[in-house]
Amino acid sequence: MSLALLCPGQGAQHPAMFDHVRGMAAARAVLDAASDALGRDVFAVAAADERFDNAQAQPLLCAASIAHWHALRGAVPDPIVVAGYSIGELAAHAIVDSFEVTTCLSLSAQRARFMDAVSPVDAGMQAVLGLDRQTVQTLCEIHGTHVAIANGTDHFIVGGTLPALRALAAAAHAQGAEVRVLPVHVPAHTPLLSAAVAPFAAALQATTLHAPRLPLLAGIDARPVRDTAAVVHTLSAQLAQTIEWAQVMRQAFERGARVFLQLGPGNALARMIAPAYPCCEVRAIEEFQSLDGAAAWVRSALQRLQ
């Protein structure tokens, strides 16, 4: 039984998202690479309103997860499994050494550009809670939207054009569901972005890739990514394919993970896992006042579960 690292997706960016690593030598190279990918200072971008724009959000989120890990590693054991949610999967690959950090930050910017280039105008994503998958799938088929992420038995992220999402929301409300609009402006992980898959696969193939050093679970099928061909396929396919996050977490648990630490900003992934796996220790790094506190908790939690 051991540690799982989780890298979040978009939605929780905030001006203080790099406070834990500000001034830390171990994170400096990551933050510099992020500034290069963004074309301006990473701290300034995190504080700006456009931090939710796809082109800014993706490098920001990768930088946050990787910087947190670079500052933590050595103070905690290596994880037995790593997983990333949406753009977080790209950061997860940098953590397991599928490619260099600078490559990851460059790829994150390219990924955003490819997605933005093919995204319909006035599109986005919303969470639907309280309905089962078949019901949500039926509503999607009726209203021309798509299940983008399956977070649980009654928790789904849906993507589509804004008029279609509004129609689906009204129908879901009528069936007693809760609907939350997300601060994401492209219908990621849906067929609406299928034209971005081949360009991003080509960008991945043009980089220096390695087989992951640590077990990493792919979002599209929860299977371990074992070689460079799988790195290219899973990272590119997820742009237009449903992410099976609930299956990813089940697989992490079945592989022995009992301590889950969310990197990056926010605590959305931790909040999803904790009630689903009450026997596990689950926290997000931003719940601690310092990285030293987070590291101490990881060591203590691992010891308690021995």
Side-chain angles (χ1 to χ4, degrees), residues 3 72 75-77 259-261 288 293-303:
L3 174 66
L72 271 177
V76 299
V259 178
F260 291 80
L261 180 66
F288 299 93
W297 172 81
V298 169
R299 294 192 299 267
S300 176
L302 290 170
Q303 192 169 40

Side-chain angles (χ1 to χ4, degrees), residues 183-200:
V184 180
H185 308 303
V186 294
H189 320 302
T190 77
L192 295 175
L193 294 191
S194 59
V197 174
F200 191 53

Side-chain angles (χ1 to χ4, degrees), residues 201-293:
L204 288 160
Q205 289 167 337
T207 66
T208 301
L209 301 175
H210 307 281
R213 180 178 62 86
L214 299 168
L216 183 146
L217 302 178
I220 59 173
D221 57 14
R223 295 179 181 176
V225 177
R226 303 188 187 279
D227 54 39
T228 58
V231 173
V232 173
H233 169 66
T234 55
L235 282 175
S236 58
Q238 63 129 280
L239 298 186
Q241 188 171 331
T242 303
I243 289 179
E244 302 291 347
W245 186 250
Q247 292 183 29
V248 171
M249 291 301 94
R250 170 57 63 182
Q251 180 61 214
F253 181 82
E254 291 178 354
R255 293 175 73 89
R258 294 296 182 271
V259 178
F260 291 80
L261 180 66
Q262 177 188 328
L263 304 172
N267 63 356
L269 302 182
R271 286 189 290 107
M272 282 191 275
I273 296 166
Y277 298 94
C279 61
C280 295
E281 300 271 3
V282 185
R283 298 288 295 274
I285 208 161
E286 286 201 344
E287 296 173 1
F288 299 93
Q289 292 188 352
S290 69
L291 291 181
D292 286 343

Side-chain angles (χ1 to χ4, degrees), residues 9 21 24 79 93 100 136 147 190 206 221 224-225 253 266-267 289 305-306:
V21 294
M24 296 189 69
H93 273 283
E100 298 293 332
V136 174
V147 175
T190 77
D221 57 14
V225 177
F253 181 82
N267 63 356
Q289 292 188 352
L305 291 172
Q306 283 182 347

Side-chain angles (χ1 to χ4, degrees), residues 67-158:
H68 283 153
W69 176 243
H70 278 218
L72 271 177
R73 63 184 181 183
V76 299
D78 273 347
I80 64 163
V81 65
V82 183
Y85 189 92
S86 187
I87 181 60
E89 193 168 340
L90 198 68
H93 273 283
I95 286 172
V96 302
D97 297 332
S98 299
F99 35 66
E100 298 293 332
V101 172
T102 52
T103 300
C104 177
L105 274 299
S106 174
L107 285 169
S108 69
Q110 293 179 71
R111 182 181 185 272
R113 287 196 297 271
F114 294 140
M115 293 170 72
D116 286 342
V118 304
S119 177
V121 176
D122 294 330
M125 306 181 81
Q126 62 191 19
V128 179
L129 299 91
L131 301 177
D132 63 36
R133 186 163 189 162
Q134 185 55 58
T135 301
V136 174
Q137 184 62 51
T138 299
L139 289 175
C140 285
E141 291 170 0
I142 291 170
H143 297 289
T145 59
H146 305 272
V147 175
I149 308 176
N151 288 324
T153 57
D154 64 351
H155 182 183
F156 301 92
I157 307 300
V158 174

